[in-house]
Amino acid sequence: MGVALRLVGHLERWFALMGAEYAYMATDKSNEASVQLFTGRCGYSKFRTPSLLVHPVHAHRLRAPRRAAVLPLDARDAERLYRRRFGHVELFPADIGAVLGNRLSLGTFLAVVDDGFRWRGVEHFLASPPASWAVASLWDCGGVFRLEMRGASRLRRAAAAASRALDRAAKWMRVPSVPDFFRPFAGWFAYGLGGEGDEAALAAKALYVSFVNRARGRAAAVAVEVAALDPLRRRLPHWRSLSCAEDLWCMKRLGGGEPDADGWDWAKSAPGQSIFVDPRE
């Protein structure tokens, strides 16, 4: 009936009215109807293919890398660090201070792989950073919406419940238990993940493990979205059954689709190593 096509056209006109130069959408690459609508009929280009990695929260604590120390940053220090080190990253929000100060933002954390490291303030850190480090922030998606998995058989529900019971009773066994996804549950989202150094991926792992452990009793899963070329992704723990290895983002330039005076069109540009996923989206 063409309802989706008219809806997209209406949204694009509103985007342009609000001053947007580009429009973009995200979908699973297996959603052929959606991909065909946007790329085949609406003029969008396939833009980026990040990975959405998800790890469930257990009763036991995940083992954190011993060589990495994790410490919290206050919002002002976090904003300075993000602007100075990651202001050039694709999709970095100009109002990063508002993001970090949002009531749903649970804090920003720094992981350092350096036995002799001591925090002496953000300016000292920026002037003389450790050899390997990573930073990320946490967002409480459960403060806005809840998720629920439906259609699971009684056998699957019973097996998941049994795994949780065993995990609670014998945390030392570190049973990979399945949270109760079959009732409305909250999820947390890690955003602003970035780092530097040969062991930055290890520092990123330490951050993500600390997030999963911090979520115990407060959320059922923690997710992070990383660019396809991001070197930090290789050490991030996740469950393949819960993750999306290739999320598809499509983009197009509004206003007739004409490129800039120099011929550059963001929608058709080559991907970089990292992206900044705004948690408000």
Side-chain angles (χ1 to χ4, degrees):
M1 295 172 62
V3 175
L5 183 63
R6 293 198 300 272
L7 178 61
V8 172
H10 178 83
L11 286 171
E12 289 178 353
R13 289 190 292 274
W14 183 79
F15 293 162
L17 185 64
M18 298 301 292
E21 296 181 45
Y22 291 88
Y24 79 97
M25 55 77 70
T27 188
D28 189 284
K29 68 173 184 178
S30 63
N31 189 343
E32 295 180 3
S34 180
V35 174
Q36 180 59 32
L37 169 66
F38 282 92
T39 61
R41 303 188 66 185
C42 297
Y44 284 69
S45 301
K46 292 182 179 180
F47 180 62
R48 301 291 182 261
T49 54
S51 297
L52 182 65
L53 309 179
V54 182
H55 199 291
V57 177
H58 308 300
H60 69 270
R61 296 177 63 87
L62 300 184
R63 288 178 178 170
R66 293 183 178 181
R67 294 191 298 115
V70 177
L71 61 147
L73 299 179
D74 66 43
R76 291 183 179 180
D77 286 348
E79 181 177 356
R80 289 195 191 100
L81 175 57
Y82 275 127
R83 288 193 184 279
R84 293 276 290 276
R85 291 293 186 179
F86 304 109
H88 64 283
V89 172
E90 192 167 51
L91 297 173
F92 182 84
D95 61 341
I96 182 64
V99 179
L100 298 172
N102 191 289
R103 65 179 181 83
L104 297 175
S105 193
L106 302 174
T108 300
F109 301 84
L110 177 72
V112 177
V113 184
D114 186 343
D115 292 336
F117 175 79
R118 287 195 306 164
W119 178 256
R120 297 173 181 171
V122 67
E123 293 303 328
H124 182 274
F125 178 88
L126 291 169
S128 182
S132 296
W133 58 275
V135 66
S137 302
L138 263 178
W139 187 268
D140 178 18
C141 298
V144 178
F145 62 87
R146 301 277 168 144
L147 299 171
E148 181 181 356
M149 184 180 295
R150 295 181 178 176
S153 66
R154 290 184 179 181
L155 180 60
R156 287 182 180 272
R157 289 170 180 258
S163 73
R164 294 193 299 273
L166 182 57
D167 191 15
R168 289 192 300 268
K171 294 184 177 65
W172 57 272
M173 293 181 64
R174 301 183 182 277
V175 175
S177 56
V178 179
D180 190 0
F181 293 136
F182 313 109
R183 291 186 294 181
F185 66 90
W188 284 4
F189 183 72
Y191 68 97
L193 177 66
E196 296 179 358
D198 293 340
E199 295 189 287
L202 179 65
K205 177 182 178 180
L207 282 175
Y208 198 53
V209 167
S210 73
F211 292 169
V212 174
N213 290 338
R214 187 179 295 269
R216 292 187 307 154
R218 302 169 66 184
V222 179
V224 62
E225 193 153 24
V226 292
L229 301 177
D230 196 325
L232 302 184
R233 64 181 288 172
R234 61 187 175 87
R235 296 292 294 270
L236 296 175
H238 62 281
W239 280 20
R240 290 185 179 181
S241 58
L242 300 177
S243 303
C244 177
E246 191 172 304
D247 198 13
L248 177 62
W249 293 6
C250 298
M251 178 181 281
K252 90 171 193 180
R253 184 175 178 84
L254 300 175
E258 295 298 326
D260 292 340
D262 59 3
W264 186 79
D265 185 347
W266 188 21
K268 299 177 181 178
S269 63
Q273 278 197 337
S274 303
I275 54 173
F276 194 107
V277 181
D278 193 326
R280 294 171 296 187
E281 300 180 9

